[in-house]
C-alpha cells in the first residue's frame, strides 16, 4: 500500500448484510414472543374474559363456540405443536430423532386425552402445558439463551427464595383479590366462586390438571419466555414487566376488576426470574399456592 492509498474498507454488500442481520434478530425475537403469547394464551384469555362478560352483558354467540370454544383450543395446540416440531426438524442436534419422536408422542397424547372417552378429556391441559414449556425452551435456544440459569453454587438459596417468595406473594395476592371482591361494586367483579365461574364441576381431576397447566403458562410462558425473548428483542425492562403482568391479569379477567390483585404476583415473578432464573421452581410454587386451597375446600365439603 502506498502512503496515498485509501485505507481498505468493508464492501457495501458486507456492511449492509451485517446491519440487516443485526436488525432482523431483535425483530425476530419480538415476533416470536408475540406469536408465542398469541398461540399459547389465546384460549385462556378468551375463556377468562368471555366468562366474565357473559355474566354482565351477553354470552358469546354459539357460532363462535360460546365461552369455551373447542376450535380455539385445537388451533392453539396445533400451532404450538407445529412450531415446536418445525424447530426440532430444522436444528440438527445429537438426539434430534428422539426429541422429535417425543414431540410427536406428546401431540398424540393431547389428541387422545382431548377426544378420548371417560375422564381422559380432564387431563388434556397436561400435554398442552408440556408442549408450551418445551416450545419456550427451544425458542430460548433459538435466540442463544437458556430458559433456566445454570447452577451458580448458591447452595439452592436462589431456588428457596423463589419458592418462598411466590408462595408468600401468591397468598397476599389472594387476600387482596378477596378483599376487592368484597368491596368493589358487584357489576365489576366475579359473582360466586372461582370453580363455578370456570365451570369446574364434579371431581378434582380437571381442576388439578388445570392448575398445573396455568402454573406452567403463567411462570414459564408469561414470565420466563417473555423475559428471555424480550431481552433478545432489546425490549426495555419496564416493557417486559408490563407485558408479563398485563397478560397474567387478563388471564384472570373472570375476576373482573379484582384481577388487578394479580399485579403483585406478576411483578414478583418477573423480578424473581430475572434475579435467580428458576422457572421450574416458580411454577412448582405457583401450583402449591393454587392446590392448597382447592384440596382444603374439597376436604371440608
Amino acid at each position: 500500500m502506498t502512503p496515498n492509498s485509501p485505507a481498505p474498507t468493508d464492501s457495501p454488500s458486507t456492511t449492509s448484510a451485517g446491519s440487516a442481520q443485526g436488525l432482523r434478530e431483535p425483530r425476530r425475537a419480538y415476533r416470536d414472543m408475540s406469536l408465542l403469547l398469541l398461540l399459547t394464551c389465546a384460549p385462556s384469555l378468551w375463556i377468562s374474559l368471555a366468562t366474565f362478560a357473559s355474566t354482565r352483558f351477553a354470552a358469546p354467540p354459539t357460532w363462535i363456540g360460546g365461552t369455551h370454544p373447542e376450535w380455539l383450543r385445537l388451533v392453539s395446540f396445533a400451532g404450538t405443536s407445529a412450531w415446536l416440531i418445525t424447530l426440532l426438524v430444522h436444528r440438527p442436534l445429537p438426539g434430534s430423532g428422539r426429541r422429535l419422536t417425543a414431540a410427536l408422542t406428546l401431540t398424540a397424547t393431547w389428541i387422545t386425552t382431548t377426544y378420548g372417552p371417560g375422564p381422559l378429556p380432564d387431563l388434556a391441559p397436561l400435554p398442552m402445558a408440556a408442549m408450551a414449556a418445551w416450545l419456550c425452551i427451544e425458542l430460548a435456544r433459538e435466540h442463544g439463551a437458556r430458559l433456566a440459569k445454570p447452577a451458580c453454587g448458591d447452595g439452592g438459596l436462589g431456588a428457596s427464595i423463589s419458592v418462598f417468595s411466590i408462595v408468600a406473594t401468591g397468598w397476599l395476592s389472594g387476600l387482596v383479590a378477596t378483599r376487592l371482591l368484597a368491596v368493589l361494586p358487584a357489576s365489576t367483579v366475579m359473582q360466586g366462586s372461582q370453580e363455578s365461574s370456570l365451570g369446574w364441576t364434579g371431581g378434582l381431576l380437571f381442576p388439578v390438571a388445570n392448575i398445573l397447566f396455568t402454573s406452567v403458562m403463567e411462570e414459564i410462558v408469561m414470565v420466563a419466555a417473555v423475559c428471555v425473548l424480550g431481552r433478545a428483542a432489546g425490549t426495555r425492562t419496564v416493557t417486559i414487566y408490563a407485558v408479563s403482568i398485563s397478560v397474567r391479569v387478563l388471564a384472570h379477567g373472570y375476576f373482573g376488576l379484582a384481577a388487578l390483585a394479580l399485579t403483585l404476583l406478576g411483578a414478583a415473578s418477573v423480578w424473581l426470574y430475572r434475579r435467580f432464573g428458576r422457572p421450574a421452581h416458580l411454577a412448582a410454587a405457583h401450583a402449591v399456592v393454587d392446590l392448597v386451597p382447592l384440596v382444603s375446600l374439597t376436604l371440608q365439603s
Side-chain angles (χ1 to χ4, degrees), residues 166-181:
I166 288 299
V167 170
T169 311
W171 177 75
L172 178 60
S173 295
L175 286 181
V176 174
T178 301
R179 182 59 181 166
L180 291 177
L181 288 170

Side-chain angles (χ1 to χ4, degrees), residues 200-249:
W200 294 356
T201 57
L204 279 175
L205 194 58
F206 178 73
V208 169
N210 196 68
I211 284 173
L212 296 176
F213 166 78
T214 56
S215 298
V216 169
M217 293 301 297
E218 292 181 33
E219 306 304 337
I220 306 296
V221 178
M222 299 180 193
V223 174
V226 166
C227 287
V228 169
L229 296 176
R231 184 166 58 246
T235 306
R236 293 185 303 171
T237 300
V238 66
T239 304
I240 292 174
Y241 272 91
V243 170
S244 178
I245 293 171
S246 297
V247 176
R248 185 189 295 258
V249 169

Side-chain angles (χ1 to χ4, degrees), residues 125-149:
L126 297 180
M128 178 60 196
M131 187 68 77
W134 192 354
L135 177 58
C136 291
I137 293 172
E138 296 300 331
L139 285 175
R141 287 175 176 166
E142 275 289 294
H143 294 277
R146 297 180 59 170
L147 206 64
K149 290 182 180 179

